[in-house]
Amino acid sequence: MVLNYDVLILVMSFSQRCDIGRAMRSCRTLCAAGIPYLLDGTIEIRSRGKFIAFCLFMLRDPQHRFPYLRHLDISLVSGKFKTPHAGRLFTMLFEHAQRLETLKVFH
């Protein structure tokens, strides 16, 4: 049985963000349908590990993910990243985030 893509998007609109993330892991079609809902609202990042994971997630398909990133709130405890490429990831994230409306960075 194959669901229409529009139906998948409608179902996603009634789901919680955590449920959308779980559904997105099940197949590529759900992953594509869930991106706008997963990135809807303010994305809050509170740890270095989550920041790096978020950057890698966004940069995996920048053309289809960054248009939905509107509000980003990054609050990291001072200190150094254990990953040597974190600075490059940070730079690449903001090179692609051209539609970002709100950015809060606390470090």
Side-chain angles (χ1 to χ4, degrees):
M1 182 173 132
V2 178
L3 285 176
N4 185 321
Y5 194 76
D6 294 331
V7 173
L8 290 174
I9 291 174
L10 183 64
V11 169
M12 294 266 185
S13 70
F14 292 105
S15 301
Q16 302 261 338
R17 188 179 278 175
C18 61
D19 295 331
I20 291 171
R22 289 182 191 114
M24 289 173 65
R25 287 184 225 134
S26 65
C27 72
R28 290 180 185 171
T29 304
L30 287 175
C31 186
I35 294 292
Y37 300 104
L38 188 67
L39 297 174
D40 187 39
T42 300
I43 306 299
E44 296 179 359
I45 300 173
R46 301 287 181 243
S47 72
R48 290 180 193 94
K50 289 185 179 182
F51 174 73
I52 291 171
F54 177 73
C55 288
L56 293 173
F57 169 77
M58 293 299 289
L59 293 168
R60 191 169 294 133
D61 188 9
Q63 198 171 14
H64 295 106
R65 294 179 183 179
F66 278 98
Y68 300 104
L69 181 62
R70 300 284 191 215
H71 308 281
L72 185 59
D73 185 350
I74 302 171
S75 180
L76 304 176
V77 179
S78 63
K80 294 184 179 182
F81 283 97
K82 294 179 182 178
T83 306
H85 304 293
R88 188 170 53 92
L89 289 174
F90 194 82
T91 303
M92 290 173 66
L93 178 75
F94 292 111
E95 283 178 358
H96 288 91
Q98 297 174 356
R99 295 186 184 169
L100 195 61
E101 295 173 5
T102 305
L103 173 65
K104 295 179 184 176
V105 179
F106 301 98
H107 180 66

